[in-house]
Amino acid sequence: MQTLDTFDWISIGIYFAILLGIAVWVIQKKQSNTEDYFLAGRNVGWFVVGASIFASNIGSEHVVGLAGAGAGNKLPMLIYEIQAWVVLILGWVFLPFYARSGVFTMPEFLEKRFDARSRWVLSIFSIIAYVLTKISVTIYAGGIVVSALLGIDFWTGALSTVILTGIYTVLGGMRAVVYTETLQAIILVLGAAALTFIGLDKVGGWGSMVDTVGPEYFNMWRPATDPDFPWPSLLITSTIVGIWYWCTDQYIVQRALTARNIKEGRRGTIFGALLKLLPVFLFLIPGIIALTLKMRGELHWDSPDQAFPVLMSNLLPSGLRGLVAAGLLAALMSSLASVFNSCSTLFTVDIYKKLRPNTPEKKLVRTGQIATVVIVIIGIIWIPIMANISGVLYEYLQSVQSYIAPPITAVFLLGIFYKRINATGAFVTLITGLIVGAIRIVLEIMKDSLDPDGYLYVLGGSNFLSFGAWFFLFCIILIVVVSHLTAAPPEEKTDNLTFQTISEEEKKNNKNSYNWKDIVVSVIILIIVAAVMIFFSGE
């Protein structure tokens, strides 16, 4: 690892100066009510919405983990990165329902469609899940990146980025988050693109890299009998996780809800989908480049998760190395800012305001700021626990999400596609699903001490992708059966909230919110996704 020099520090200094300028500009704007603080006054344009969606998704754990997957023979994980088509589902299918209902949060939408029980379950569960997955993994990966790049120890790197991000998130709210994320998305894309081009040049081009690692390395589609990544389970479970993450998770959807209208929101998701095509080329390919150089004896790293930082510090020239370092810091900070803001929104709108409905707007904003501070502190407490996690980071994250996603995806999907689904069906499915998911995580941790022939070992030791697919089917059957065994939902719970109950006026409004350009760009994105899937088939 080469340390950063004067020109690198100048690049990082310029980045932080611009970031500080944006943060100060935003903080000076009014944050007088919850719509201002949590949804940036619902007045954001499509470019900022799309860039914010992309920057929220691409955290440092993503950069480190996806490059690690490329370097560690886990190419099937690529399927999670070509889900631009699922981002389109958010804009074309889900967003009109969310926008029509005027909600701030996803749990709030569940209360409008079902009842308060589902809202409570999803609110509390989402906050816990954010701490266990997003906050902890992002801080851990960020600590690795910052300590490797800046030559400081893990704790100093992790603490400084968490505290710095926490300050502007608390003071500036959602507007600070989306505008700083736009800058961070631009820097991250430019920096990683430079690394990919320089890296490919260093290994002698694409053909030379394929010759070194072998063409079969580029096959993301393993046989259905593969113990790690059977392709049917991979395709099904990645789609279930994708719909949960991109279409129903507060962390992402909150960005689309900041748009000034459905048209801008949908265009933002289309732009976000276009940007979502980039990680394959910006992060996965550098991981394979790092592996190629290691196989040739020109580069050394111990763990696949170190591939990206080591490649960056050794290949890039002075100044540019600082820009990519700033990009990685940007990725870390944008993800942390997003999750801090989403957690405080969920706590304030879905828990505090529900318990104290007459609280003045200014006090709710203050509560949101205090909640963010508390979540920052919890994140810091989690750092030593996360420091003990081993294995490829990205795979850890996807496996946990495969147990969280099925019940939530089932409830949201059937909730808008099938008007007969009722509140009891949704509640039972969420509770049962979350209990089953928790049992699976516990059994997976304990599986070495279980009887290999026992039922518990099968439940805890089966492939996480296959488990996710069967678990989703179980949730679908459960919600349909329970809903049909209980009373049909009243009309006010389905009006304009399911496809079968949209009024003619709303259909007309929705049709006026897009034109042929939106359709053409969406189709182009679908074609690119299909092309990437075919290209990475090892042919």
Side-chain angles (χ1 to χ4, degrees):
M1 289 284 290
Q2 292 184 24
T3 53
L4 302 179
D5 61 21
T6 307
F7 288 112
D8 295 324
W9 284 108
I10 290 170
S11 294
I12 293 171
I14 292 169
Y15 159 68
F16 275 108
I18 297 171
L19 188 71
L20 184 66
I22 293 173
V24 169
W25 171 69
V26 168
I27 289 164
Q28 287 174 341
K29 289 184 171 287
K30 68 186 179 84
Q31 306 283 350
S32 55
N33 60 41
T34 47
E35 190 161 83
D36 270 335
Y37 188 76
F38 296 119
L39 293 179
R42 292 192 198 260
N43 193 33
V44 175
W46 65 267
F47 184 88
V48 174
V49 170
S52 177
I53 286 173
F54 175 71
S56 300
N57 171 237
I58 305 297
S60 51
E61 85 287 351
H62 216 100
V63 177
V64 172
L66 190 53
N73 198 20
K74 296 190 181 291
L75 208 71
M77 302 306 281
L78 160 68
I79 198 161
Y80 288 95
E81 288 319 302
I82 45 179
Q83 288 189 329
W85 65 278
V86 186
V87 189
L88 293 176
I89 293 175
L90 168 61
W92 288 101
V93 178
F94 286 88
L95 187 60
F97 289 103
Y98 299 152
R100 268 197 295 271
S101 60
V103 296
F104 275 57
T105 68
M106 295 300 92
E108 192 182 356
F109 178 78
L110 284 192
E111 181 173 28
K112 291 212 169 190
R113 174 62 181 88
F114 300 116
D115 63 8
R117 294 177 302 173
S118 296
R119 180 176 182 169
W120 276 107
V121 173
L122 188 61
S123 307
I124 294 166
F125 171 75
S126 294
I127 292 171
I128 294 168
Y130 285 156
V131 173
L132 289 178
T133 58
K134 289 188 174 70
I135 293 179
S136 53
V137 173
T138 303
I139 292 173
Y140 172 68
I144 291 174
V145 169
V146 173
S147 58
L149 292 180
L150 307 186
I152 55 180
D153 69 281
F154 175 85
W155 273 97
T156 307
L159 282 172
S160 55
T161 43
V162 170
I163 292 166
L164 187 64
T165 309
I167 290 169
Y168 77 74
T169 311
V170 169
L171 296 176
M174 188 60 173
R175 193 177 269 112
V177 173
V178 294
Y179 283 106
T180 52
E181 279 179 343
T182 305
L183 166 71
Q184 289 159 340
I186 293 166
I187 289 178
L188 184 60
V189 168
L190 289 176
L195 181 60
T196 303
F197 285 118
I198 292 169
L200 281 172
D201 182 60
K202 173 77 173 173
V203 296
W206 185 269
S208 177
M209 182 171 73
V210 172
D211 289 341
T212 302
V213 299
E216 67 284 347
Y217 193 88
F218 290 85
N219 186 5
M220 62 181 274
W221 303 108
R222 306 278 170 89
T225 52
D226 187 86
D228 297 319
F229 302 106
W231 77 262
S233 300
L234 179 71
L235 191 61
I236 295 166
T237 302
S238 65
T239 302
I240 295 162
V241 171
I243 292 172
W244 162 70
Y245 179 86
W246 290 105
C247 304
T248 74
D249 195 19
Q250 182 68 22
Y251 179 72
I252 293 295
V253 178
Q254 191 170 342
R255 273 112 206 93
L257 295 179
T258 63
R260 59 178 67 102
N261 53 43
I262 291 184
K263 184 176 184 177
E264 294 290 315
R266 184 184 288 111
R267 284 198 173 160
T269 62
I270 294 169
F271 180 49
L274 205 55
L275 292 173
K276 183 62 189 159
L277 296 167
L278 296 174
V280 177
F281 310 102
L282 298 181
F283 311 125
L284 186 95
I285 301 301
I288 302 172
I289 291 168
L291 176 66
T292 305
L293 292 173
K294 185 181 183 183
M295 289 170 76
R296 294 178 184 174
E298 296 174 35
L299 201 67
H300 178 73
W301 35 265
D302 298 317
S303 148
D305 285 340
Q306 294 174 343
F308 194 93
V310 171
L311 183 75
M312 189 207 80
S313 71
N314 283 281
L315 250 61
L316 293 180
S318 176
L320 193 54
R321 193 164 50 224
L323 180 70
V324 180
L328 282 172
L329 293 171
L332 165 64
M333 294 172 74
S334 65
S335 287
L336 275 181
S338 298
V339 74
F340 288 159
N341 188 259
S342 295
C343 278
S344 76
T345 307
L346 286 167
F347 175 79
T348 308
V349 176
D350 287 316
I351 296 175
Y352 190 85
K353 192 177 178 182
K354 196 90 178 122
L355 294 173
R356 300 187 176 182
N358 298 320
T359 307
E361 288 282 298
K362 280 202 167 178
K363 191 174 181 189
L364 286 174
V365 171
R366 177 67 58 207
T367 304
Q369 292 174 322
I370 294 166
T372 309
V373 172
V374 172
I375 288 153
V376 170
I377 293 166
I378 292 170
I380 291 168
I381 293 167
W382 256 103
I383 296 173
I385 298 164
M386 281 307 300
N388 294 322
I389 280 191
S390 58
V392 174
L393 197 60
Y394 194 64
E395 191 178 359
Y396 160 79
L397 193 59
Q398 300 307 348
S399 64
V400 172
Q401 289 178 343
S402 299
Y403 315 141
I404 292 170
I408 300 171
T409 302
V411 167
F412 273 89
L413 267 182
L414 287 185
I416 65 167
F417 276 101
Y418 189 22
K419 69 176 185 180
R420 184 60 181 80
I421 300 300
N422 64 14
T424 306
F427 178 69
V428 169
T429 303
L430 285 174
I431 290 289
T432 308
L434 299 178
I435 290 170
V436 171
I439 291 170
R440 161 71 193 211
I441 292 170
V442 171
L443 290 175
E444 194 172 303
I445 293 166
M446 295 170 48
K447 72 178 179 185
D448 291 338
S449 61
L450 298 173
D451 175 15
D453 299 320
Y455 174 73
L456 289 179
Y457 184 85
V458 174
L459 189 62
S462 61
N463 179 279
F464 77 92
L465 295 166
S466 301
F467 178 86
W470 286 110
F471 186 23
F472 180 66
L473 180 63
F474 166 76
C475 292
I476 291 283
I477 293 168
L478 181 65
I479 193 170
V480 171
V481 169
V482 172
S483 293
H484 278 276
L485 289 175
T486 47
E491 275 187 26
E492 68 267 16
K493 290 293 180 187
T494 57
D495 281 352
N496 285 320
L497 294 176
T498 75
F499 275 104
Q500 295 137 299
T501 55
I502 303 173
S503 68
E504 288 304 315
E505 185 187 358
E506 288 297 345
K507 284 180 184 175
K508 188 178 174 185
N509 289 342
N510 190 46
K511 202 165 185 181
N512 291 333
S513 69
Y514 61 87
N515 59 29
W516 66 270
K517 293 174 193 168
D518 301 311
I519 296 169
V520 168
V521 176
S522 298
V523 170
I524 290 170
I525 291 168
L526 295 175
I527 291 169
I528 295 172
V529 169
V532 172
M533 285 184 169
I534 293 165
F535 180 80
F536 284 97
S537 59
E539 295 299 323

